[in-house]
Amino acid sequence: MPTMLLCPSCGNRAFVEEPNISASSPTNANHDNTNTQSLQQATHSGTNYSNPGTSNPTDHFVAAGHTSRFFAAMIDVFIVSVAGSLISVLLVAFVGSPGTDGADLLYSVLGMVGGIAYYSIFHISKYAATPGKQICSIKLVTKDGYTATLGVAIARAVLPSVLLIGGSVVYGLLLAPFIILSEGSSLMQNGTITAGVIIFIALILTPHLLIFKTQYRRSLFDIICNTRVVKK
């Protein structure tokens, strides 16, 4: 049965009976072989890659798995925590321990800036990945597959902190009236605080849990910054 093939070089379409049968001319034979290989590669791409919600054969990126993303995040948190502890030891010698004049604010600012710099610098590097992502063989790219710009990398690194601060403010505003109303009843106060903690945790985790439902397994930060995490 005739099959229509598309040449990736010239864009011409042709109907052939047997894609693998050589034509009389060597040039035509090479032309048909190129078409056949291109068709097989496109078919393979469309069925093998596991980007949830899409079967686009031109998308050559594979969405990073949930497990690899989790372990990459844990490794990065460990690295940032250790680095922060070492820097704190040095700061104590020059600035003073937390609790002294201005030390608390300085520690907080440096900790936030250091974390943002860590993720931003590594995400715009030639590896497009933090050490945790490199160990887990995944990387951050834009939705179109390019390395993130510095602005995008910074925005994606800042968003979790913004969410944490914003969530804390919302949490406090929502919880305060219930705590005031529950004065005199320890049981009601404990219940209010417990419910508030559950809501706060849900607020913090929801942006990350979106990777289980969204196309390309994108978190809320990926959707806002138009990025995604893929396998190398």
Side-chain angles (χ1 to χ4, degrees), residues 13-38:
R13 294 178 172 85
F15 286 92
V16 296
E17 292 290 339
E18 297 278 347
N20 293 325
I21 296 178
S22 299
S24 58
S25 170
T27 303
N28 290 336
N30 293 333
H31 196 75
D32 289 341
N33 287 335
T34 301
N35 280 329
T36 303
Q37 293 172 2
S38 178

CSV table of all heavy atoms in Angstrom, one decimal, residues 13-38:
chain,number,residue,atom,x,y,z
A,13,ARG,N,7.1,15.8,-0.5
A,13,ARG,CA,6.4,14.6,-0.1
A,13,ARG,C,6.3,13.7,-1.3
A,13,ARG,O,6.2,14.2,-2.4
A,13,ARG,CB,5.0,15.0,0.4
A,13,ARG,CG,5.0,15.8,1.7
A,13,ARG,CD,3.6,16.1,2.1
A,13,ARG,NE,3.5,16.7,3.4
A,13,ARG,CZ,3.7,18.0,3.7
A,13,ARG,NH1,3.9,18.8,2.7
A,13,ARG,NH2,3.6,18.4,4.9
A,14,ALA,N,6.4,12.4,-1.0
A,14,ALA,CA,6.3,11.5,-2.1
A,14,ALA,C,5.6,10.2,-1.6
A,14,ALA,O,5.8,9.8,-0.5
A,14,ALA,CB,7.7,11.2,-2.7
A,15,PHE,N,4.8,9.6,-2.5
A,15,PHE,CA,4.2,8.3,-2.2
A,15,PHE,C,5.1,7.2,-2.8
A,15,PHE,O,5.4,7.2,-3.9
A,15,PHE,CB,2.8,8.2,-2.8
A,15,PHE,CG,1.8,9.0,-2.0
A,15,PHE,CD1,1.5,10.3,-2.4
A,15,PHE,CD2,1.1,8.5,-1.0
A,15,PHE,CE1,0.6,11.1,-1.7
A,15,PHE,CE2,0.2,9.3,-0.3
A,15,PHE,CZ,-0.1,10.6,-0.7
A,16,VAL,N,5.4,6.2,-1.9
A,16,VAL,CA,6.2,5.1,-2.4
A,16,VAL,C,5.5,3.8,-1.9
A,16,VAL,O,4.8,3.7,-0.9
A,16,VAL,CB,7.6,5.2,-1.8
A,16,VAL,CG1,8.4,6.4,-2.3
A,16,VAL,CG2,7.6,5.2,-0.3
A,17,GLU,N,5.8,2.7,-2.7
A,17,GLU,CA,5.2,1.4,-2.4
A,17,GLU,C,6.0,0.8,-1.2
A,17,GLU,O,5.4,0.2,-0.3
A,17,GLU,CB,5.2,0.5,-3.6
A,17,GLU,CG,4.3,1.0,-4.7
A,17,GLU,CD,2.8,0.8,-4.3
A,17,GLU,OE1,2.6,0.0,-3.5
A,17,GLU,OE2,2.0,1.5,-4.9
A,18,GLU,N,7.3,0.8,-1.3
A,18,GLU,CA,8.2,0.2,-0.4
A,18,GLU,C,9.3,1.2,0.0
A,18,GLU,O,10.2,1.4,-0.8
A,18,GLU,CB,8.8,-1.1,-1.0
A,18,GLU,CG,7.8,-2.2,-1.3
A,18,GLU,CD,7.4,-3.0,-0.1
A,18,GLU,OE1,8.1,-2.9,0.9
A,18,GLU,OE2,6.5,-3.8,-0.2
A,19,PRO,N,9.2,1.8,1.2
A,19,PRO,CA,10.2,2.7,1.6
A,19,PRO,C,11.7,2.2,1.6
A,19,PRO,O,12.6,3.0,1.4
A,19,PRO,CB,9.8,3.1,3.0
A,19,PRO,CG,8.4,2.8,3.1
A,19,PRO,CD,8.2,1.6,2.2
A,20,ASN,N,11.8,0.9,1.8
A,20,ASN,CA,13.2,0.4,1.8
A,20,ASN,C,13.7,-0.1,0.5
A,20,ASN,O,14.8,-0.6,0.4
A,20,ASN,CB,13.2,-0.8,2.8
A,20,ASN,CG,13.0,-0.3,4.3
A,20,ASN,OD1,13.4,0.7,4.6
A,20,ASN,ND2,12.3,-1.1,5.0
A,21,ILE,N,12.9,-0.1,-0.6
A,21,ILE,CA,13.3,-0.5,-1.9
A,21,ILE,C,14.1,0.6,-2.5
A,21,ILE,O,13.6,1.7,-2.6
A,21,ILE,CB,12.1,-1.0,-2.7
A,21,ILE,CG1,11.4,-2.2,-2.1
A,21,ILE,CG2,12.6,-1.3,-4.1
A,21,ILE,CD1,10.2,-2.7,-2.8
A,22,SER,N,15.2,0.3,-3.0
A,22,SER,CA,16.1,1.3,-3.7
A,22,SER,C,15.5,1.7,-5.0
A,22,SER,O,15.0,0.8,-5.8
A,22,SER,CB,17.5,0.9,-3.8
A,22,SER,OG,18.1,0.6,-2.6
A,23,ALA,N,15.6,3.0,-5.4
A,23,ALA,CA,15.1,3.4,-6.7
A,23,ALA,C,16.2,3.2,-7.7
A,23,ALA,O,17.3,2.8,-7.3
A,23,ALA,CB,14.7,4.9,-6.6
A,24,SER,N,15.9,3.4,-9.0
A,24,SER,CA,16.9,3.2,-10.0
A,24,SER,C,18.1,4.1,-9.9
A,24,SER,O,19.2,3.8,-10.2
A,24,SER,CB,16.3,3.4,-11.4
A,24,SER,OG,15.7,4.7,-11.5
A,25,SER,N,17.9,5.3,-9.4
A,25,SER,CA,19.0,6.3,-9.3
A,25,SER,C,19.6,6.2,-7.9
A,25,SER,O,18.8,6.1,-6.9
A,25,SER,CB,18.5,7.7,-9.5
A,25,SER,OG,19.5,8.6,-9.2
A,26,PRO,N,20.9,6.2,-7.7
A,26,PRO,CA,21.5,6.2,-6.4
A,26,PRO,C,21.1,7.4,-5.5
A,26,PRO,O,20.9,7.3,-4.3
A,26,PRO,CB,23.0,6.3,-6.6
A,26,PRO,CG,23.2,5.8,-8.0
A,26,PRO,CD,21.9,6.2,-8.8
A,27,THR,N,20.8,8.6,-6.2
A,27,THR,CA,20.4,9.8,-5.5
A,27,THR,C,19.0,9.6,-4.9
A,27,THR,O,18.7,9.9,-3.7
A,27,THR,CB,20.4,11.0,-6.4
A,27,THR,OG1,21.7,11.2,-6.9
A,27,THR,CG2,20.0,12.2,-5.6
A,28,ASN,N,18.1,9.0,-5.7
A,28,ASN,CA,16.8,8.7,-5.2
A,28,ASN,C,16.8,7.7,-4.1
A,28,ASN,O,16.0,7.7,-3.1
A,28,ASN,CB,15.9,8.2,-6.3
A,28,ASN,CG,15.6,9.3,-7.3
A,28,ASN,OD1,15.6,10.5,-7.0
A,28,ASN,ND2,15.3,8.9,-8.6
A,29,ALA,N,17.7,6.7,-4.2
A,29,ALA,CA,17.8,5.7,-3.1
A,29,ALA,C,18.2,6.3,-1.8
A,29,ALA,O,17.6,6.0,-0.8
A,29,ALA,CB,18.8,4.6,-3.5
A,30,ASN,N,19.2,7.2,-1.8
A,30,ASN,CA,19.6,7.9,-0.6
A,30,ASN,C,18.5,8.8,-0.1
A,30,ASN,O,18.3,8.9,1.1
A,30,ASN,CB,20.8,8.7,-0.9
A,30,ASN,CG,22.0,7.9,-1.2
A,30,ASN,OD1,22.1,6.7,-0.7
A,30,ASN,ND2,23.0,8.4,-1.9
A,31,HIS,N,17.7,9.4,-1.0
A,31,HIS,CA,16.6,10.3,-0.6
A,31,HIS,C,15.6,9.5,0.2
A,31,HIS,O,15.1,9.9,1.2
A,31,HIS,CB,16.0,10.9,-1.9
A,31,HIS,CG,15.2,12.0,-1.6
A,31,HIS,ND1,15.6,13.3,-1.3
A,31,HIS,CD2,13.8,12.2,-1.6
A,31,HIS,CE1,14.6,14.1,-1.1
A,31,HIS,NE2,13.5,13.5,-1.3
A,32,ASP,N,15.2,8.3,-0.4
A,32,ASP,CA,14.2,7.5,0.3
A,32,ASP,C,14.7,6.9,1.6
A,32,ASP,O,13.9,6.8,2.6
A,32,ASP,CB,13.8,6.3,-0.7
A,32,ASP,CG,13.0,6.8,-1.9
A,32,ASP,OD1,12.4,7.9,-1.8
A,32,ASP,OD2,12.9,6.0,-2.9
A,33,ASN,N,15.9,6.5,1.7
A,33,ASN,CA,16.5,6.0,2.9
A,33,ASN,C,16.4,7.1,4.0
A,33,ASN,O,16.1,6.8,5.2
A,33,ASN,CB,17.9,5.5,2.7
A,33,ASN,CG,18.0,4.2,1.9
A,33,ASN,OD1,17.0,3.5,2.0
A,33,ASN,ND2,19.1,4.0,1.3
A,34,THR,N,16.8,8.3,3.6
A,34,THR,CA,16.7,9.4,4.6
A,34,THR,C,15.3,9.6,5.1
A,34,THR,O,15.0,9.8,6.3
A,34,THR,CB,17.2,10.7,3.9
A,34,THR,OG1,18.5,10.5,3.5
A,34,THR,CG2,17.2,11.9,4.9
A,35,ASN,N,14.3,9.5,4.2
A,35,ASN,CA,12.9,9.7,4.6
A,35,ASN,C,12.5,8.6,5.5
A,35,ASN,O,11.8,8.8,6.5
A,35,ASN,CB,12.0,9.6,3.3
A,35,ASN,CG,12.0,10.9,2.6
A,35,ASN,OD1,12.1,12.0,3.2
A,35,ASN,ND2,11.8,10.9,1.2
A,36,THR,N,12.9,7.3,5.2
A,36,THR,CA,12.5,6.2,6.1
A,36,THR,C,13.1,6.4,7.5
A,36,THR,O,12.4,6.2,8.5
A,36,THR,CB,13.0,4.9,5.4
A,36,THR,OG1,12.5,4.8,4.1
A,36,THR,CG2,12.6,3.7,6.3
A,37,GLN,N,14.4,6.7,7.6
A,37,GLN,CA,15.0,6.9,8.9
A,37,GLN,C,14.4,8.0,9.7
A,37,GLN,O,14.2,7.9,10.9
A,37,GLN,CB,16.5,7.1,8.7
A,37,GLN,CG,17.3,5.9,8.1
A,37,GLN,CD,18.7,6.3,7.8
A,37,GLN,OE1,19.1,7.4,8.0
A,37,GLN,NE2,19.4,5.3,7.3
A,38,SER,N,14.0,9.1,9.0
A,38,SER,CA,13.4,10.2,9.6
A,38,SER,C,12.0,9.9,10.2
A,38,SER,O,11.7,10.2,11.3
A,38,SER,CB,13.3,11.4,8.7
A,38,SER,OG,12.6,12.5,9.3
